[in-house]
Amino acid sequence: MASFHGLWSLAGFVAAAVGSFMIGHAVPPGVHFVFIAVFILAGLAVSAGSMVREDSGVDPDQPIFVKPDKELLGLGAIAFCALICEGAMFDWSGVYFKKVIQADKDWVGAGYTAFMSTMALGRFGADWLAGRLGARRVIQLSGLLTATGLLIAVLLPTLGTALLGFLLVGFGTSAVVPLVYSAAGKSTRMSAGMALASVSTIGFFGFLLGPPVIGFVAGATSLRVSFALIALMGLCVSAVASRVRV
């Protein structure tokens, strides 16, 4: 599952490269979108034969909407906290480097690049690491890495230390969601698809909620304070993981 997410991160880099190429060569957006649409359709055609035909463990009498049990709620809480951190990095890293770090314009995107690079790298190694240390311990360490990286960027707001902090946040966020989703798919209370949908729905509330909350807190105080609050989400990941079966 972590390698799956690693390919998603890798695709983000490829998409950015393709977009930069299109902009650099003044390709109209319509042509760009058609090219991407054709590429996606070709990918679907190639992979259609490998898609899962039937959800494992499906009960035909099971209702469409099922309240998650305590175990799935715990996994959802971990995903919620982790995706708040991810959402913050996706939407606010450039602003943080511009407003707080006061980086030159050529370096404003460096924090986001640092975060994305280690998140992708960490995901390709997360499955192996979970096999060696266990998923729970990896998630606990990931939460601590996320919190540590954010606090370094907050307490030492210089270009070098902020880059180091964002690198650590990338490693910290890389494994959490894939491992939580994998654990949800092993639920014995409901089908894998429904369990995964429940956990991911709870988690993505964090992804949607995090960025506007950061903006609200930053408007009332400062970006450094809002990023410090996001660091607490990393600690919550570790704390909840110690109480949930992963």
Side-chain angles (χ1 to χ4, degrees):
M1 183 63 78
S3 298
F4 256 170
H5 282 73
L7 287 171
W8 175 86
S9 299
L10 182 61
F13 281 111
V14 173
V18 171
S20 298
F21 176 86
M22 296 291 186
I23 293 171
H25 290 76
V27 176
V31 175
H32 180 185
F33 290 177
V34 169
F35 171 79
I36 296 301
V38 171
F39 183 83
I40 291 172
L41 290 172
L44 287 172
V46 171
S47 61
S50 301
M51 292 184 180
V52 176
R53 302 296 179 183
E54 183 176 329
D55 189 7
S56 61
V58 171
D59 181 356
D61 298 324
Q62 183 170 272
I64 296 176
F65 298 102
V66 179
K67 181 181 178 181
D69 57 25
K70 183 178 179 181
E71 181 179 317
L72 290 178
L73 286 174
L75 293 174
I78 295 173
F80 178 86
C81 295
L83 284 170
I84 283 181
C85 298
E86 282 194 36
M89 301 305 291
F90 282 133
D91 290 2
W92 285 95
S93 57
V95 179
Y96 193 84
F97 264 62
K98 183 178 181 180
K99 299 292 186 180
V100 177
I101 307 302
Q102 297 183 340
D104 293 337
K105 64 179 182 178
D106 294 338
W107 286 90
V108 167
Y112 178 77
T113 302
F115 163 74
M116 284 293 293
S117 62
T118 51
M119 184 171 70
L121 181 62
R123 283 177 169 171
F124 284 115
D127 291 324
W128 174 85
L129 193 62
R132 296 290 297 271
L133 300 179
R136 174 182 282 114
R137 184 169 296 179
V138 171
I139 292 174
Q140 290 172 327
L141 291 173
S142 295
L144 293 176
L145 273 179
T146 299
T148 300
L150 285 167
L151 289 176
I152 287 174
V154 167
L155 298 175
L156 302 170
T158 65
L159 181 61
T161 52
L163 282 173
L164 173 62
F166 279 35
L167 287 169
L168 292 178
V169 176
F171 278 125
T173 57
S174 63
V176 178
V177 170
L179 293 179
V180 166
Y181 285 0
S182 181
K186 299 172 185 176
S187 172
T188 58
R189 303 290 181 88
M190 61 179 70
S191 70
M194 293 194 71
L196 181 55
S198 298
V199 172
S200 61
T201 298
I202 298 171
F204 269 91
F205 272 116
F207 195 80
L208 296 173
L209 184 63
V213 168
I214 287 176
F216 177 80
V217 174
T221 55
S222 69
L223 264 178
R224 292 178 70 185
V225 172
S226 60
F227 268 59
L229 290 176
I230 298 301
L232 291 177
M233 295 296 101
L235 296 178
C236 288
V237 166
S238 297
V240 177
S242 66
R243 298 176 177 272
V244 176
R245 185 169 64 88
V246 182

